[in-house]
Amino acid sequence: MRQMSRRKLLRRGTQAVLAGGVALSGLPTLEPRAFSKSAPQAVDYYQKLGVTPFINAAGTYTVLSASTMPDEVQAAVALAARQPVNLNELLDASGAYLAKRLRCEAALVTAGAAAALVVGTAACITMGNEQAILNLPTDMAGLKNEVIVQKSHRYGYDHALRNCGIRFVEVETLEQYEQAFTERTVMAHFFNAGAGKISREDWVRVALQHGVPCFNDAAADVPPISNLWNYTQMGFDLVTFSGGKGLRGPQCSGLLLGRKDLIEAAKKNNSPNSNTVGRGMKVAKEEIVGLVAAVDWFLKQDDAAMEAEYRQRADRIAKHLKSIPTLQTQIFIPEVANHVPHLLIIYDQDRIKITGAEVMQKMREGKPRIELNPSTGGSPASAGLPGGPNTVVVGVWMLLPGEDMVVAKRLREVLQEAIRT
Ligand SMILES: *Cc1c(COP(=O)(O)O)cnc(C)c1O
């Protein structure tokens, strides 16, 4: 039999497949970086689906999609989407990189701060116990399951911890806290923006005395930038930040920072490991890379410069509204969480006959749509932000360049229409 050259063989093979009716022309070449250099024309799916985007004069609220990624973060995400990687390798490498940059022992990219609460709690419960990873949360026999928390720190994210089969033990005073530790205590939980009698320092000190890990949920608490290491350096064993709020990474990403042994234990309870409490909280390569890029971006920012920029936006809006009768403006910075300048607009409703809630609705229905801060016209929506029926709150920090004046002009229109003459 005559030997066939490899090329001929391949050609024959091709003809055979073509004869079978399968066109080969569209198959990708098998180069190592098999993707096109030029990006295809993107379809605007918001338009196609009829979902209208808005100008974000609210802030980093989850239901409003929280934040948008800076261009360089979006570019890093798009590039990461083009090639497959091993998720465990990417989680390990990104964790080591983030730990170094954020000055802590270890780090893990999670599917958000709420996911970090789940896998962090699971870490404390299961540490080195493979069977416990499987048993969580329905078979807690023999497992420590009490989490100590200040009564005032019970909040909308309790369920994340409860997903691990724990029960809360509430305390109010330092003395009660010291008495609350039992052989079933597995973690001491702290809500960074919560009010309460017991300070962070005392919380850490007492937990350490009892050899119990303590967790600080600081999800919404950058800026300031230094918070990214302040709480781990204060001694909290685990700290979480949301990736999609102030950090402006992908919305479904978060940081779990802290002790190496706990981060390793958290990984074991997390995706991509099947049959774990964290498997449903998958974080993909795009989000992992996106969060790393967002942290790189955020660390290049400057607290004073960011604050100055937000103050300028607020001042520009205030100046444009100045001549409206009875209207007063004020810049307000919440103490902790969303710790950035917000513009408060207060007016006399006898003169300007519209409630804050109505202003909000009109802004939402205009073109373009504008979302004001949810504490507008009502009771405070987040820690420390004032409200009231005659108060409009503009969150300026998520505005894109130039949008402050769009907001100012539309606000002026809406308020002026309501002037009683
Ligand atoms: C937003 C928030 C979370 C949840 O963060 P995600 O990243 O959206 O999961 C948890 N805790 C607090 C205090 C928050 O503000």
Side-chain angles (χ1 to χ4, degrees):
M1 215 193 194
R2 229 179 63 197
Q3 281 263 311
M4 231 190 259
S5 77
R6 195 175 132 72
R7 252 169 85 204
K8 268 187 190 154
L9 189 67
L10 281 172
R11 228 181 268 142
R12 279 257 173 120
T14 301
Q15 279 158 358
V17 173
L18 281 173
V22 180
L24 283 177
S25 57
L27 283 186
T29 55
L30 291 175
E31 287 158 21
R33 295 167 67 84
F35 56 83
S36 63
K37 288 279 188 312
S38 61
Q41 186 65 41
V43 174
D44 183 349
Y45 274 97
Y46 291 149
Q47 195 174 39
K48 197 164 178 172
L49 298 172
V51 175
T52 312
F54 51 80
I55 290 178
N56 184 358
T60 57
Y61 294 90
T62 299
V63 70
L64 301 177
S65 67
S67 66
T68 52
M69 295 183 278
D71 288 346
E72 63 193 82
V73 177
Q74 290 184 33
V77 170
L79 196 56
R82 291 179 163 221
Q83 286 173 286
V85 288
N86 179 298
L87 272 185
N88 283 323
E89 285 176 15
L90 187 60
L91 283 168
D92 287 346
S94 58
Y97 180 88
L98 289 167
K100 203 167 173 188
R101 293 230 66 187
L102 302 178
R103 312 177 195 181
C104 54
E105 260 183 51
L108 176 64
V109 178
T110 66
L117 293 173
V118 179
V119 295
T121 305
C124 297
I125 298 170
T126 61
M127 277 276 254
N129 181 346
E130 298 288 334
Q131 190 60 41
I133 294 172
L134 280 171
N135 290 355
L136 227 61
T138 47
D139 183 2
M140 301 297 284
L143 298 176
K144 295 181 180 184
N145 70 335
E146 290 177 0
V147 173
I148 306 175
V149 67
Q150 294 188 69
K151 196 171 178 181
S152 55
H153 288 202
R154 295 297 300 273
Y155 63 161
Y157 296 93
D158 283 354
H159 215 303
L161 288 79
R162 288 177 44 230
N163 282 347
C164 298
I166 62 97
R167 69 178 198 87
F168 287 107
V169 175
E170 291 180 357
V171 298
E172 286 178 89
T173 64
L174 184 56
E175 201 185 0
Q176 286 171 355
Y177 180 38
E178 284 169 330
Q179 303 295 314
F181 289 82
T182 73
E183 71 283 351
R184 294 185 66 80
T185 307
V186 71
M187 196 174 98
H189 188 54
F190 196 92
F191 170 29
N192 197 51
K197 290 202 179 83
I198 309 168
S199 69
R200 293 181 188 88
E201 287 80 0
D202 282 340
W203 198 258
V204 167
R205 179 178 55 77
V206 175
L208 189 69
Q209 275 169 13
H210 289 86
V212 166
C214 59
F215 198 139
N216 187 4
D217 177 356
D221 302 341
V222 289
I225 295 165
S226 57
N227 274 358
L228 289 170
W229 44 88
N230 282 345
Y231 303 123
T232 43
Q233 294 194 347
M234 193 181 279
F236 281 99
D237 300 288
L238 291 171
V239 179
T240 183
F241 293 92
S242 187
K245 292 181 178 170
L247 282 171
R248 293 184 59 191
Q251 191 183 11
C252 52
S253 72
L255 287 170
L256 181 63
L257 309 176
R259 246 168 61 189
K260 202 173 179 68
D261 56 341
L262 288 170
I263 296 292
E264 284 308 315
K267 277 184 190 168
K268 294 201 165 92
N269 285 280
N270 204 16
S271 171
N273 300 306
S274 326
N275 231 356
T276 62
V277 73
R279 177 58 181 82
M281 291 169 280
K282 188 197 293 160
V283 54
K285 59 189 179 303
E286 293 83 1
E287 285 103 43
I288 299 170
V289 166
L291 183 56
V292 173
V295 166
D296 277 346
W297 173 83
F298 195 65
L299 293 179
K300 274 189 284 191
Q301 308 305 305
D302 173 81
D303 285 323
M306 281 194 284
E307 183 176 330
E309 166 65 23
Y310 303 147
R311 278 184 186 278
Q312 277 168 22
R313 294 177 190 178
D315 284 341
R316 274 196 292 270
I317 299 170
K319 203 171 156 206
H320 193 71
L321 302 175
K322 210 169 136 198
S323 61
I324 297 176
T326 78
L327 185 140
Q328 294 188 325
T329 59
Q330 184 191 325
I331 287 177
F332 180 83
I333 304 182
E335 192 61 39
V336 59
N338 307 303
H339 181 68
V340 287
H342 291 63
L343 178 67
L344 296 190
I345 301 164
I346 301 153
Y347 53 89
D348 184 346
Q349 276 187 283
D350 287 339
R351 195 68 207 283
I352 303 175
K353 252 194 103 48
I354 189 167
T355 65
E358 288 164 346
V359 173
M360 196 157 167
Q361 193 56 31
K362 280 187 186 279
M363 298 291 285
R364 183 176 290 149
E365 287 165 0
K367 268 187 185 165
R369 289 176 80 177
I370 297 168
E371 283 290 340
L372 292 173
N373 186 279
S375 48
T376 296
S379 47
S382 63
L385 265 183
N390 64 336
T391 305
V392 168
V393 183
V394 186
V396 295
W397 65 315
M398 290 296 137
L399 292 173
L400 301 176
E403 288 182 340
D404 50 3
M405 283 314 291
V406 180
V407 173
K409 283 174 185 157
R410 179 66 185 143
L411 261 178
R412 189 178 171 86
E413 229 169 63
V414 168
L415 291 168
Q416 245 175 345
E417 275 169 12
I419 295 175
R420 171 186 273 174
T421 46

